[in-house]
Amino acid sequence: MDEVARKGTVISVRGAVVDVGFAGGRLPPINTALSVRWDRPETLVLEVHAHLDGSRIRAIALQSTSGLARGVDVDVQDGPIAVPVGEAVLGRLLDVLGQVCDRGEAFPASTPRRSIHHAPPALAEETATRSIFETGIKVIDLLAPLAQGGKAAMFGGAGVGKTVLVMELIHAMVEKYEGISVFAGVGERSREGHELLTDMQSSGVLERTVLVYGQMNEPPGARWRVPMTALTIAEYFRDQKHQNVLLLMDNVFRFVQAGSEVSSLLGRLPSRVGYQPTLATEVASLQERIASVAGASVTAIQAVYVPADDFTDPAVSAISSHMDSTIMLSRELAAEGFYPAVDPLASSSALLDPLVVGEEHYRIAEQTRETLARLKELQDIIALLGVEELGAADRVLVRRARRLQRFLAQPFAVTEAFTGTPGRSVRREETLAGCRAILAGETDDWAESSLYMVGTIDEARQKEAAAAKARAPA
């Protein structure tokens, strides 16, 4: 059989799509890395995407192709793109190729490398989990608990607080989390990446964290493959070091969007709403690699942009079908000042089951949902006629629902610089105790403001006592 061709020539360039011709030998396999020998100081790496005929391949560029001309020589690498993994990458900021982007020293030559295209674990090797991953965020721990070794996604439109929620989860969990954290910034702003790096440096958690970025100013090929790079690093710690990994991705929709751009450049016919025809396959190839095996788990928390607040969007539907916990962010709640703006009725979790969280937690969560659902049903009547026109039972229920809404709001550590309010992290038992007290009517006579933006019910009790003392006549 012919040897794989080792050298080729650029024959056409269309944005991020580059066609390469080979004079003889077998064509390099799909996903093989190619390096371009051009006259620029920066590396240009291509990835084989399709075989056009017996002598031409179509490749995707992972850096800008500006200035690339036809006739330039291309070298075939020994296999797919391989990125550095292991202890050396901890505390570093990398790009899609695993190159250092934090102005620090380059990795030593002895650093192990691993292909970004790695098969998911066999189904027989995967382990299910029933342990709760506590976040310290009341509304999530109560109504949409996260699973240790599971997948959770936060869905929301522009400006409802997805990135702030991810940042708070990083702040709340990395400090008490004993494993490794890998953060993938997919198609996000450069400013957010810089802020995250400086925050982690100042908080002292960077030495157990890896930051991998493919920012929005980079070509679609880089944004499309950067989650694979982050996953490869996470898989190494899981498989080789047998350590638990916390994988955070912001924003998975940008991964889908980059795939759509690549698909258009490849000339494929679009599917529903203009997405790529391979949408479900691409999302599945990413999500199925996030798995736990015996002795180590990968817990994934992902932010997902919802275009035009349309939760029926094909990309949103494709991503949500792989999740154990779905956290929906509501623009209405954000407009009313309830942060985090988690919709308690639309959010769900496979772990909210009496056999997993316990009978007491399940009962309080269901009562909370029922109370808030009844408030939503009565909103139109209240807006038209006022609370006074409701029956006695509904008035009591509305009073408690409004207090629940305020209690489930919570100040964040990452927003302290803007609000002046110190952040609160609340244990699950304290969240349950607070909701139990509100549902039992213990707070019916309190001012609603006493329950707004507090941590535990004891903090709210102190706030109410101070307010009552201030209201009392001298």
Side-chain angles (χ1 to χ4, degrees), residues 97-149:
L97 299 174
Q99 296 171 341
V100 176
C101 297
D102 55 12
R103 298 179 182 173
E105 293 181 4
F107 295 119
S110 59
T111 305
R113 288 181 171 265
R114 188 164 170 162
S115 164
I116 66 169
H117 297 284
H118 202 259
L123 196 58
E125 296 174 10
E126 293 187 21
T127 56
T129 180
R130 285 188 169 187
S131 55
I132 301 292
F133 195 83
E134 284 198 28
T135 64
I137 298 173
K138 291 181 284 190
V139 66
I140 293 176
D141 288 343
L142 175 68
L143 299 174
L146 309 188
Q148 175 86 37

Side-chain angles (χ1 to χ4, degrees), residues 186-198:
V186 186
E188 288 300 285
R189 302 169 185 84
S190 304
R191 169 186 58 78
E192 292 172 349
H194 183 262
E195 286 177 2
L196 182 62
L197 179 62
T198 52

